[in-house]
Amino acid sequence: MRGYDKIGVMQSKFPKNFYWGVATSSHQIEGDNTNNDWWEAEQSRKVSHKSDKACDSYNRFDEDLALLKELGVGAYRFSLEWSRIETREGEFSKEAIEHYKNQIVQLRENNIEPFVTLHHFTNPIWFSDKGGWESRKSPKYFERYVDFVSKELGDNVKYWITINEPSVYSLMSYVEGFWPPNKRSWFLYWKVSTNFIRAHRRAYRVIKKNKEDVLVGIAKNKIFFDAYENRFFSKIVAVLFDYIYNGWFFERTERYHDFVGVNYYNHNRIKAGFNNPKNWLNQNENKEISDFGWEIYPKGLYHVVMHSSAMKKPVFIFENGIADADDDQRPMFIKEHLRWLNKAIEDGADVRGYFHWSLLDNFEWAEGYQMKFGLAEVDRKTFERSPRPSFYLYRDIIKENGLDVK
Ligand code: BGC
């Protein structure tokens, strides 16, 4: 691989009790989530792909569990589908809650710690009809749902993740307009972002009220912003973007995190100047890219972890992965990211876990099934899961609790 700073050959051992895991989300794997806003947008063609049966994981949890066991993970991050649980406003489905309860109990029986996400991009239709995250009442609606599930599932869940990537959701849904409700307004972006802040605080408090000794946080997408060459103006702009995109949410909610949850995928070099006013972002050169066109930059994980450490709380990497259908980049991707993560630990970061995105090829939102992030491939007709070579590489890393010199 070319184009990024390789850390070189070294042996990396991870701390004892380090959580090795994989991450998924409900709409991306469960299938037939007919009661949420994504499904609605898929049917009315506001987004170009349909999730249909996804990986059929709602009916095939036993197959997913078998894979998790084979991989040897100590943790599994997945999300609850709000639209299955609160089918209409204030009406909760016993069947859905039993389903998730059963899933959590089975994970525990197999010594796999469940890390439960409460919101991963999708909303019940009743909620979006009431204005979704634009509504001032949205944090209250979210709190009612969180109160219900944390009472129902609380006995078996220690780690709660309230919201997945609030900034990605707000940008994609309210600025880019690619995701439902497909709007383009900086004003709404602001409104939604502040409602997420209020919703997270409320969720944090209610989960803790229902059970004290649990740990609550979010999964925040962090981009490594870096300056193009050693230019003063670019450096200032990079610091500003870092604050707005990576730092602001945490600053506004600082007391409401028991850990710092980070998803890392992207590096963004800023070249700020008056001669290129519309072209400041993504001046990455000589880059190795994934099928998605995203630069592969493992050293960025080191930087975002070191920045995150400033909050003086345990850090979890809740997502890191690559769209790579041929599986020819993923092995090196995993190894190099883990080496840089290990270096961050050596340099003092208190990192407690790493979750690879993802266990399976799944519904990649606006890109549908074209982007393949899975350690295991999924046959779109039979739903048969077939582990890729990198699945076995990751299994060996987990078994060794680190990487050997190779
Ligand atoms: C999201 C996932 C998504 C992944 C890859 C993350 O931003 O949480 O849902 O599949 O990135 O794009």
Side-chain angles (χ1 to χ4, degrees):
M1 269 190 185
R2 65 189 157 83
Y4 61 81
D5 295 325
K6 274 196 190 164
I7 196 164
V9 177
M10 61 183 270
Q11 190 165 9
S12 315
K13 276 281 170 206
F14 282 75
K16 227 175 127 210
N17 301 327
F18 188 78
Y19 279 117
W20 293 105
V22 283
T24 61
S25 92
S26 54
H27 192 67
Q28 294 181 271
I29 63 166
E30 285 181 353
D32 289 328
N33 274 326
T34 58
N35 197 27
N36 73 29
D37 56 347
W38 261 87
W39 187 274
E40 209 179 33
E42 290 162 23
Q43 311 316 307
S44 61
R45 304 238 164 245
K46 286 200 175 126
V47 291
S48 357
H49 299 270
K50 288 187 177 179
S51 56
D52 294 322
K53 292 213 160 294
C55 305
D56 197 28
S57 285
Y58 201 77
N59 301 310
R60 291 170 194 258
F61 178 67
D62 48 345
E63 291 177 37
D64 293 348
L65 182 61
L67 281 177
L68 295 171
K69 283 161 67 179
E70 194 180 350
L71 201 51
V73 291
Y76 179 44
R77 176 182 169 224
F78 63 95
S79 75
L80 307 178
E81 178 59 36
W82 183 5
S83 67
R84 284 188 188 267
I85 294 175
E86 191 173 358
T87 49
R88 291 201 220 160
E89 189 181 353
E91 286 179 26
F92 295 92
S93 154
K94 215 174 157 29
E95 182 277 321
I97 208 75
E98 283 307 315
H99 169 88
Y100 291 117
K101 214 179 260 179
N102 182 31
Q103 190 165 309
I104 288 165
V105 168
Q106 286 193 59
L107 288 169
R108 283 225 167 282
E109 283 171 0
N110 287 284
N111 293 321
I112 301 173
E113 183 73 39
F115 281 67
V116 179
T117 309
L118 291 154
H119 185 271
H120 197 125
F121 298 156
T122 52
N123 303 303
I125 290 173
W126 68 260
F127 175 84
S128 58
D129 284 349
K130 284 176 162 287
W133 289 99
E134 292 163 47
S135 160
R136 261 200 80 72
K137 289 193 179 153
S138 53
K140 279 196 180 163
Y141 298 140
F142 185 60
E143 181 185 1
R144 178 177 52 198
Y145 149 71
V146 174
D147 184 27
F148 176 79
V149 292
S150 58
K151 276 183 186 140
E152 288 285 332
L153 307 176
D155 286 347
N156 284 307
V157 179
K158 184 169 178 206
Y159 293 93
W160 293 97
I161 296 155
T162 58
I163 299 162
N164 181 70
E165 299 190 341
S167 37
V168 172
Y169 175 91
S170 316
L171 278 173
M172 296 302 278
S173 300
Y174 288 94
V175 178
E176 302 285 357
F178 294 152
W179 293 1
N182 307 87
K183 296 191 178 172
R184 294 179 129 219
S185 147
W186 282 106
F187 172 68
L188 290 178
Y189 167 82
W190 170 257
K191 218 169 159 188
V192 166
S193 304
T194 48
N195 282 335
F196 274 134
I197 286 173
R198 293 168 54 225
H200 171 71
R201 291 187 191 141
R202 279 177 178 269
Y204 181 94
R205 280 195 294 254
V206 79
I207 296 170
K208 295 281 200 179
K209 187 184 88 208
N210 290 339
K211 201 161 188 283
E212 267 172 34
D213 59 342
V214 295
L215 299 169
V216 186
I218 67 161
K220 175 80 183 72
N221 181 285
K222 284 202 173 189
I223 295 174
F224 174 47
F225 292 102
D226 188 7
Y228 179 85
E229 294 175 352
N230 200 7
R231 297 182 183 195
F232 181 70
F233 190 37
S234 299
K235 279 188 177 171
I236 298 281
V237 174
V239 169
L240 197 70
F241 280 9
D242 178 60
Y243 170 71
I244 296 169
Y245 190 85
N246 295 329
W248 181 70
F249 188 98
F250 282 118
E251 193 182 285
R252 296 283 313 275
T253 53
E254 191 158 1
R255 284 187 294 123
Y256 302 86
H257 297 268
D258 299 321
F259 50 78
V260 189
V262 176
N263 296 353
Y264 172 70
Y265 291 92
N266 303 103
H267 174 216
N268 198 324
R269 283 177 104 200
I270 310 288
K271 185 180 186 179
F274 297 106
N275 49 350
N276 62 334
K278 289 192 176 150
N279 205 13
W280 286 10
L281 295 169
N282 269 318
Q283 298 290 330
N284 302 339
E285 284 173 347
N286 185 28
K287 54 190 180 185
E288 166 106 15
I289 56 171
S290 70
D291 294 354
F292 221 134
W294 297 352
E295 184 195 11
I296 301 170
Y297 194 69
K299 192 178 178 182
L301 180 60
Y302 173 82
H303 289 293
V304 297
V305 168
M306 294 314 281
H307 285 183
S308 303
S309 283
M311 276 177 76
K312 305 226 171 316
K313 292 178 183 178
V315 176
F316 283 97
I317 306 307
F318 282 139
E319 285 184 35
N320 172 237
I322 178 170
D324 176 24
D326 306 332
D327 205 43
D328 57 355
Q329 295 169 302
R330 192 175 286 104
M332 192 49 90
F333 179 100
I334 294 177
K335 287 198 242 176
E336 287 293 314
H337 279 83
L338 289 177
R339 287 181 173 135
W340 279 109
L341 184 61
N342 194 266
K343 176 150 173 51
I345 297 171
E346 268 177 26
D347 291 351
D350 179 10
V351 185
R352 302 286 175 91
Y354 171 89
F355 292 69
H356 192 77
W357 183 273
S358 183
L359 178 65
L360 306 170
D361 284 347
N362 56 45
F363 180 67
E364 179 52 36
W365 309 112
E367 278 71 29
Y369 293 103
Q370 289 164 356
M371 293 301 146
K372 306 206 182 288
F373 279 88
L375 291 171
E377 225 175 314
V378 177
D379 185 297
R380 295 282 345 119
K381 290 204 180 77
T382 63
F383 303 106
E384 193 190 331
R385 282 93 164 116
S386 313
R388 296 194 161 99
S390 52
F391 178 99
Y392 297 106
L393 167 75
Y394 192 44
R395 179 196 63 182
D396 292 347
I397 292 173
I398 295 172
K399 209 186 290 167
E400 293 285 320
N401 195 33
L403 287 81
D404 275 334
V405 183
K406 57 178 141 161

